[in-house]
Amino acid sequence: MKKLVVGLALAGVSALASYNLWAESVATKDQIAPVVAEPVEIKLASVGITVKRVSPSPVPGMQEVITDRGVFYASNDGRYLMQGTMIDLDQRKNLTEAALSDVRLEGVKEYENSMIVYKADNEKGKITVFTDITCGYCRKLHRELDDYLDKGITVQYLAFPRGGLSGSGYTDLMNVWCADNKQQALTDAKAGSKPETIEQCNAPVAEHYQLGQSFGISGTPAIILSDGSMIPGYQPADTISRAIEQLNHKS
């Protein structure tokens, strides 16, 4: 009887060991299983566009593709690509703008620690403005900064060099973002002063620029509201204040 009990115990240990080896094998296979890229990811990568997310679109046979250059729509096999605005006429809804709104909110949150912020004392809302120091309407908006602050609108800036990631426009924005007093440096630069050169400057201006492109921005100023919607171009403080009041009323 004793031999039988010992035999059964050994058999149980052997079975448990076999199960553990099998489980480890399955887990290992799961861990090293290759991630298969979507056909559209491969096609867009070949033309220098990075895909962030692929989702089914409301149109059968088409996918909604969020990229570092904005929103595209692609056939399932990645052969055909469309760029433009998709509107649901039954719901009277801009589906492309809705998709971008989520992307913008995520991006703004990710880069909130690298913004140059002018905070309103009695804040009732915030706007995130992609700006360039050589842009006429960017300078106009900044000259009217006190109007925004007086209406309770906090203005937080991200950099968007209109000439791209080269030239003096890009370098000047880098120096502004590396200055000890960033607020004053930006104000002086928008008034026409040449920013002081900062040695070994490592500001995230290129990241801001790429973020703006993924938002669908092609010019400045571009104003992002708290719901992720975008107002392209300059708007006076009164107009922005009314837009914020509408958003606050909805929430």
Side-chain angles (χ1 to χ4, degrees):
M1 181 67 178
K2 184 176 181 180
K3 289 181 179 180
L4 177 60
V5 172
V6 171
L8 289 173
L10 290 174
V13 170
S14 177
L16 179 60
S18 297
Y19 172 79
N20 287 338
L21 288 172
W22 173 82
E24 289 175 4
S25 174
V26 170
T28 301
K29 287 179 181 178
D30 288 342
Q31 290 171 3
I32 64 175
V35 177
V36 180
E38 295 272 358
V40 68
E41 291 183 60
I42 299 170
K43 290 288 182 67
L44 287 180
S46 69
V47 293
I49 298 175
T50 301
V51 173
K52 296 184 175 182
R53 186 169 69 235
V54 179
S55 307
S57 85
V59 179
M62 298 289 289
Q63 296 173 313
E64 178 187 88
V65 188
I66 306 295
T67 77
D68 61 346
R69 305 291 178 84
V71 179
F72 292 89
Y73 299 96
S75 58
N76 290 334
D77 62 2
R79 179 178 178 181
Y80 298 103
L81 189 69
M82 297 174 59
Q83 185 178 28
T85 300
M86 182 179 290
I87 297 173
D88 184 329
L89 291 177
D90 287 346
Q91 297 185 20
R92 300 292 195 272
K93 184 177 181 180
N94 185 327
L95 301 179
T96 305
E97 179 61 25
L100 276 173
S101 293
D102 292 339
V103 172
R104 291 172 190 142
L105 289 177
E106 293 169 6
V108 166
K109 184 171 180 59
E110 182 179 356
Y111 286 93
E112 61 185 357
N113 292 329
S114 62
M115 298 174 177
I116 297 178
V117 180
Y118 299 82
K119 184 171 175 56
D121 290 333
N122 299 307
E123 183 181 279
K124 71 175 184 180
K126 298 178 182 178
I127 58 173
T128 301
V129 183
F130 282 81
T131 194
D132 181 77
I133 57 179
T134 65
C135 153
Y137 277 105
C138 296
R139 291 183 171 188
K140 178 176 174 59
L141 189 154
H142 198 75
R143 285 196 301 269
E144 298 170 7
L145 182 62
D146 286 343
D147 294 340
Y148 293 87
L149 300 179
D150 290 344
K151 290 185 175 297
I153 303 169
T154 289
V155 179
Q156 44 193 32
Y157 283 115
L158 290 169
F160 193 88
R162 295 184 299 159
L165 303 180
S166 61
S168 60
Y170 170 66
T171 303
D172 287 345
L173 277 171
M174 288 283 289
N175 287 322
V176 165
W177 250 260
C178 280
D180 289 336
N181 187 337
K182 296 176 177 56
Q183 290 181 330
Q184 189 60 52
L186 183 58
T187 296
D188 291 344
K190 289 194 175 188
S193 297
K194 182 75 173 175
E196 178 186 352
T197 299
I198 308 297
E199 298 297 334
Q200 297 180 331
C201 176
N202 191 30
V205 170
E207 295 176 39
H208 291 183
Y209 179 74
Q210 290 159 359
L211 180 70
Q213 286 190 316
S214 73
F215 287 2
I217 293 172
S218 58
T220 54
I223 301 170
I224 311 297
L225 301 179
S226 61
D227 65 342
S229 60
M230 184 174 76
I231 300 174
Y234 160 85
Q235 291 294 335
D238 283 339
T239 300
I240 297 298
S241 180
R242 288 194 294 271
I244 289 174
E245 287 173 358
Q246 291 176 355
L247 289 177
N248 291 342
H249 182 71
K250 288 180 181 178
S251 60

